[in-house]
Amino acid sequence: MSINREIRLASRPFGEPGVEHFELAEAPVPEPRADQILVRNTWMSVDPYMRGRMDDAESYIPPFQVGSVLEGSAIGEVITSRAAHIPVGATVSHFSGWREYAVMDAATATVVDTELARPQDYLGALGPTGLTAYLAVTRTAPVEKGDVVFVSGAAGAVGSVAGQLARKLGAAKVIGSAGGPDKTKKVVEHFGFDATVDYRAGALAEQLAELAPEGIDVYVDDVGGDPLQAAIGALKVHGRAALVGMISQYNATRPVPGPSNLYDVVTKRLTLRGVLVTDHSDVLPEYLAKATAWLADGSLRTEETVVQGLDQAPAAFLGVLRGANTGKILVRLT
Ligand SMILES: NC(=O)c1ccc[n+]([C@@H]2O[C@H](COP(=O)([O-])OP(=O)(O)OC[C@H]3O[C@@H](n4cnc5c(N)ncnc54)[C@H](OP(=O)(O)O)[C@@H]3O)[C@@H](O)[C@H]2O)c1
């Protein structure tokens, strides 16, 4: 209990990262001060955006520092509390992942209700990825009744939820893109999309045109690159796209050329709009109220790829960048 294990950034990658860029280290378990809590982490999240934090580049969130412990979303149990409003034994969601024990200001942790949902749900469907999906289809590119919706990264954490929420909002047809036959099958059979395109199996634009000859109204972009170009081509006049992420270029070592059909944005008067979940924590209560009910009644389906142990967290993260996960990837720490 007195030794903490944590993952630090060993060095910065150029291009695709490897396990050598991470270091498993030991440090004393810190002592909480007044208004702080000590948490034993039970689950942590690895997320594609963390690739950007491995570079020494300015962005919306500061880079990880070489030699320092990484951070990210995690769930844990409070084992010592010096804060009046968080009791020992509470389950909290917080941002001090990549370590087994974490001390934090109690104000930065949120107590989650494990009667309503499983602790790990608060890292996925009830966490940042679920909220991102909700923002995309209700705020950034609102889905309307009768819309044809296309979602890239459809077998992943954000995409799988976005497609299901689009359906709840009345979409007439929901099409996903994913890599390989197992994932495309799962997108239809488990997540309830109407159809999928396999971007690894050939020209995306042609596959999409076959499935949506009438065009699409809304695109949720997790990937950038080819799916974005295909979606711009398929969007109808006044169509809209929520630009959520561009995972296809996170390991790029030189600037990536943009879609060659951007002039379509002019001629079709399209709206392409970015979204960052960190701007919208005010929407979380609204979303949680709906999503906990949907999880409970089974109308929002989830899937997890679980990796066991802190020492496997770097491999889990590298796996996400290569498509090793279906649904939300999680690292179980206990
Ligand atoms: N804007 C925000 O606030 C926000 C919040 C959360 C996430 N995001 C972004 O949303 C996207 C999805 O995140 P997530 O957490 O839900 O991850 P995820 O979709 O669960 O996992 C990433 C998936 O991306 C796919 N992928 C990887 N490389 C690809 C490539 N070159 N081309 C096409 N697909 C590729 C893989 O699926 P396949 O096997 O199907 O290729 C992989 O499983 C990411 O871009 C992430 O950065 C943004």
Side-chain angles (χ1 to χ4, degrees):
M1 195 335 238
S2 55
I3 294 294
N4 197 7
R5 296 197 311 156
E6 61 187 34
I7 304 285
R8 299 175 184 165
L9 183 66
S11 58
R12 298 196 188 279
F14 180 71
E16 191 174 351
V19 284
E20 67 278 13
H21 297 107
F22 300 86
E23 179 198 2
L24 177 64
E26 293 188 347
V29 173
E31 281 289 323
R33 298 190 308 269
D35 298 320
Q36 290 190 323
I37 53 175
L38 172 63
V39 174
R40 180 178 179 234
N41 285 335
T42 50
W43 295 90
M44 59 166 270
S45 181
V46 289
D47 295 277
Y49 79 91
M50 292 170 173
R51 173 63 190 87
R53 298 192 72 186
M54 296 179 81
D55 295 333
D56 191 13
E58 232 179 83
S59 188
Y60 65 97
I61 189 164
F64 295 137
Q65 294 304 314
V66 174
S68 295
V69 60
L70 307 183
E71 61 176 14
S73 301
I75 296 286
E77 288 162 13
V78 177
I79 54 172
T80 308
S81 176
R82 299 198 56 199
H85 70 289
I86 301 190
V88 168
T91 300
V92 290
S93 121
H94 60 88
F95 207 62
S96 297
W98 293 95
R99 68 203 83 182
E100 290 174 333
Y101 293 89
V103 157
M104 67 205 71
D105 291 343
T108 65
T110 305
V111 176
V112 298
D113 190 339
T114 53
E115 301 281 310
L116 287 178
R118 303 169 309 157
Q120 63 268 40
D121 290 327
Y122 292 93
L123 292 177
L126 301 182
T129 53
L131 179 59
T132 302
Y134 183 70
L135 292 166
V137 296
T138 62
R139 307 293 205 274
T140 320
V143 171
E144 290 165 12
K145 222 173 168 44
D147 278 350
V148 178
V149 178
F150 176 48
V151 179
S152 60
V158 173
S160 61
V161 174
Q164 293 178 79
L165 299 187
R167 166 86 70 226
K168 285 182 178 294
L169 291 164
K173 195 192 280 184
V174 183
I175 301 166
S177 89
D182 293 345
K183 286 194 182 185
T184 48
K185 193 164 172 238
K186 185 148 271 183
V187 167
V188 172
E189 291 180 1
H190 185 70
F191 296 124
F193 286 51
D194 295 292
T196 39
V197 294
D198 180 351
Y199 72 90
R200 293 183 205 259
L204 206 55
E206 280 80 349
Q207 292 185 60
L208 186 55
E210 217 167 280
L211 294 172
E214 70 280 43
I216 62 173
D217 299 279
V218 169
Y219 172 53
V220 177
D221 187 25
D222 286 336
V223 170
D226 289 346
L228 175 58
Q229 172 140 339
I232 290 172
L235 277 162
K236 298 177 191 169
V237 168
H238 294 135
R240 45 218 186 276
L243 305 190
V244 171
M246 304 230 166
I247 195 168
S248 67
Q249 64 190 54
Y250 292 173
N251 285 328
T253 53
R254 60 184 69 169
V256 178
S260 63
N261 55 352
L262 268 184
Y263 186 55
D264 283 6
V265 177
V266 179
T267 59
K268 295 193 278 184
R269 288 83 86 199
L270 306 179
T271 303
L272 274 55
R273 192 168 171 207
V275 58
L276 278 182
V277 67
T278 43
D279 288 347
H280 299 279
S281 49
D282 57 309
V283 182
L284 187 60
E286 167 192 323
Y287 173 63
L288 278 185
K290 294 177 180 175
T292 47
W294 291 329
L295 276 189
D297 70 19
S299 67
L300 177 59
R301 302 193 71 179
T302 60
E303 167 111 2
E304 286 139 23
T305 302
V306 176
V307 172
Q308 182 65 43
L310 182 72
D311 54 332
Q312 294 304 310
F317 168 68
L318 300 173
V320 171
L321 299 177
R322 295 195 201 110
N325 64 303
T326 304
K328 180 74 189 98
I329 187 140
L330 293 170
V331 182
R332 187 176 193 150
L333 299 177
T334 53

